[in-house]
Amino acid sequence: MRPLASRSRVGLWVLCGLLLLPAQLFGALSADQLQHAQAAVDRVNLYRQLSGLGTVTLDLTLSDGAAAHAAYLNLNPSQIYAGLDAHNEYTDHPGYSAAGAAAGKASDIFYGSIGAAAIDGWYATYYHRNPILSPGVTTVGYGDDPGAAVGFSITVLQFKTFNGPGNVLSPADGSDGNAVAGNGEVPQPVPNFGPNTGNPIIAYFAGSSKVAWTASTITANGQALPHKVVAPNLPANPVYENNEICLITDAPLPAGATVAVQIDYAQSGAKTVSWSFKTSGSGAFDAAAAQASLAAKGGSGGGTPSVDSDGDGFFDEIETAAGTSPSDPASTPFGGQPAGTAQALPAAKLAVKLNFAKTDSDSIALSGTLPVPDGFIPTGQQVIVDVGGAAKAFTLDEHGKSTPAGNDSFKIGKPKSGAARYTAKFNKGRFATALADEGLSNADVKGEARTVTVTVCFNLALYQAAQAQQYSAKSGKSGRTKQP
């Protein structure tokens, strides 16, 4: 019998185990693992973009822990068959590592598939889908193991952060190529949940006010589909559920059908949400059809997520802007030193303007504060700013201003109490392509939530923020973000 997908959530999540740890699991993924990881991240980003969310990037340090936990489970198969205990590691068990233990507690775990196929398996579940569609997730770690001891592959997807989905519809409105059936999951959201039930249909809601399900209908090509409901007022496993309403049909959704959904609910008054999507002709997830539907809405397909190819802690676009090598860990913007742990980028404010009708007319404005030590001399210092994959490097003069002057600029003021205000501006550029995988698409959009990853390299420290934005756009004309 094919092993069921298991589930974990940051702070609560749990899953599987393995035996001896191959040497390559620590320090770097193998070439095959890295290929699987990139395919997995691309598939995560496709699902996220379909629902209007920003993309995630691959963190190789997290990936080492994810691979270690996959290997641990292969060495400790009893935990695989003990449900959520698969998310634990025990110090007296073979293959234990601190990194693997941390990964197990904050991950999805899947048996029998790797790469993009594992993501499809998780997406066809209720609880495992939640972190994949969390707006607060910006980086993930990926690891897998062939599972020689247990007879099936083991895949671990670790989430660095998780804050619960909000205002997201899934499968996405207007999307095509969706799978028809659910997948096995522990814990089960409804009795006998699995391939004989439908792919879960979920509406996530932001805000602290809990929603209450009132009524719902699902139709496929006009025919009503019986279904079960999981909601805050109809919980199945409350400790694993957030502020969402999940509908699971009693049988797989019809293949090649248009599925229409309506949910009546209460949240500070009576409300209704309705949307529709299409299932694939084969019944399995059809990535090409999904990408085509995304492109039709002005999206960018699977996107081009930021990647740290050499594992030194710097995204490739940052190294390219700095003039260092993205493929050589000894060549870094910090003079050969790795980036180290990213620190929070404090008090950042971001605004993006895109011009879809005219080239080289996009702009980005970023401001905030940065820690500045006593005696800091700005002359000759390099600053790198990366906004959603659009990266620029600046060299400062004695006044803390970028030089030479041009379309792009950076300025940092005089320090006060160990910090200084800064402003960065990208002007008259072409940034829409880089930002498309953050959900800033060439489409008709009004006030939708987006998350843009912002990174600043300053004074041999890397600062990063998942910047929440409100995005509005008119197809073929313009788009802009503002602070929510």
Side-chain angles (χ1 to χ4, degrees):
M1 183 177 73
R2 180 181 180 183
L4 298 180
S6 296
R7 171 215 183 250
S8 62
R9 183 166 295 181
V10 171
L12 296 172
W13 300 10
V14 201
L15 266 156
C16 309
L18 189 71
L19 189 58
L20 298 175
L21 290 176
Q24 75 268 19
L25 292 183
F26 287 104
L29 297 183
S30 70
D32 285 345
Q33 287 173 320
L34 187 59
Q35 185 177 24
H36 303 161
Q38 193 57 64
V41 170
D42 287 347
R43 187 57 56 85
V44 166
N45 285 334
L46 175 55
Y47 283 122
R48 288 176 67 86
Q49 286 182 278
L50 286 165
S51 288
L53 296 168
T55 57
V56 302
T57 58
L58 179 65
D59 185 312
L60 291 182
T61 299
L62 291 181
S63 296
D64 288 342
H69 189 63
Y72 170 92
L73 290 177
N74 180 48
L75 294 176
N76 299 277
S78 62
Q79 288 182 243
I80 292 176
Y81 299 105
L84 296 178
D85 193 38
H87 288 277
N88 296 320
E89 288 197 13
Y90 300 98
T91 57
D92 60 348
H93 284 35
Y96 170 84
S97 68
K105 290 290 187 182
S107 62
D108 279 348
I109 301 174
F110 199 89
Y111 310 116
S113 293
I114 59 175
I119 304 302
D120 291 343
W122 284 316
Y123 190 85
T125 64
Y126 170 23
Y127 300 124
H128 288 80
R129 187 188 301 178
N130 287 4
I132 291 173
L133 295 183
S134 169
V137 171
T138 58
T139 58
V140 298
Y142 173 93
D144 59 41
D145 189 275
V150 294
F152 46 80
S153 61
I154 302 167
T155 299
V156 176
L157 186 70
Q158 183 179 0
F159 302 92
K160 186 174 183 179
T161 57
F162 175 76
N163 68 350
N167 292 334
V168 176
L169 303 175
S170 173
D173 185 28
S175 62
D176 199 351
N178 292 286
V180 302
N183 200 358
E185 181 171 37
V186 176
Q188 292 191 25
V190 297
N192 302 313
F193 175 67
N196 293 322
T197 59
N199 190 358
I201 299 168
I202 310 172
Y204 302 98
F205 301 91
S208 57
S209 177
K210 286 291 186 181
V211 300
W213 173 88
T214 304
S216 54
T217 59
I218 306 173
T219 61
N221 296 333
Q223 181 178 356
L225 303 179
H227 57 277
K228 304 290 192 304
V229 179
V230 181
N233 60 323
L234 298 170
N237 301 288
V239 72
Y240 299 114
E241 292 156 10
N242 292 296
N243 202 21
E244 65 246 359
I245 295 174
C246 176
L247 312 180
I248 300 175
T249 54
D250 296 345
L253 302 170
T258 296
V259 178
V261 183
Q262 178 172 311
I263 300 175
D264 299 327
Y265 65 99
Q267 187 181 38
S268 302
K271 298 180 180 180
T272 297
V273 61
S274 59
W275 75 102
S276 64
F277 57 88
K278 294 181 180 179
T279 57
S280 73
S282 68
F285 178 68
D286 184 339
Q291 294 224 17
S293 66
L294 180 61
K297 296 193 295 181
S300 62
T304 306
S306 296
V307 174
D308 174 16
S309 296
D310 55 12
D312 57 11
F314 298 96
F315 293 145
D316 289 0
E317 67 265 16
I318 290 177
E319 297 223 53
T320 299
T324 57
S325 173
S327 59
D328 181 1
S331 173
T332 76
F334 290 172
Q337 297 300 310
T341 302
Q343 301 178 43
L345 181 64
K349 293 184 178 180
L350 175 66
V352 177
K353 295 181 180 179
L354 303 176
N355 190 330
F356 301 122
K358 186 178 179 181
T359 59
D360 298 324
S361 299
D362 304 333
S363 65
I364 297 173
L366 176 70
S367 63
T369 61
L370 285 168
V372 179
D374 293 338
F376 174 76
I377 299 174
T379 307
Q381 292 280 352
Q382 185 183 63
V383 181
I384 307 166
V385 178
D386 180 1
V387 178
K392 303 282 184 178
F394 304 93
T395 300
L396 305 184
D397 63 13
E398 66 273 21
H399 303 295
K401 296 181 180 179
S402 57
T403 181
N407 291 333
D408 309 317
S409 64
F410 183 92
K411 178 182 179 181
I412 190 163
K414 293 182 179 181
K416 182 179 180 181
S417 301
R421 294 282 304 171
Y422 72 89
T423 57
K425 295 181 180 180
F426 301 177
N427 293 309
K428 297 181 179 180
R430 191 176 301 181
F431 311 125
T433 300
L435 291 165
D437 64 356
E438 306 284 326
L440 307 191
S441 57
N442 182 3
D444 291 324
V445 177
K446 185 175 181 180
E448 293 188 1
R450 297 291 189 266
T451 302
V452 178
T453 301
V454 177
T455 306
V456 177
C457 300
F458 172 75
N459 197 30
L460 300 182
L462 187 147
Y463 301 90
Q464 197 166 77
Q467 200 69 17
Q469 297 280 274
Q470 265 191 352
Y471 182 59
S472 297
K474 291 185 177 180
S475 179
K477 295 183 178 180
S478 63
R480 63 174 57 203
T481 72
K482 63 179 182 179
Q483 298 286 120

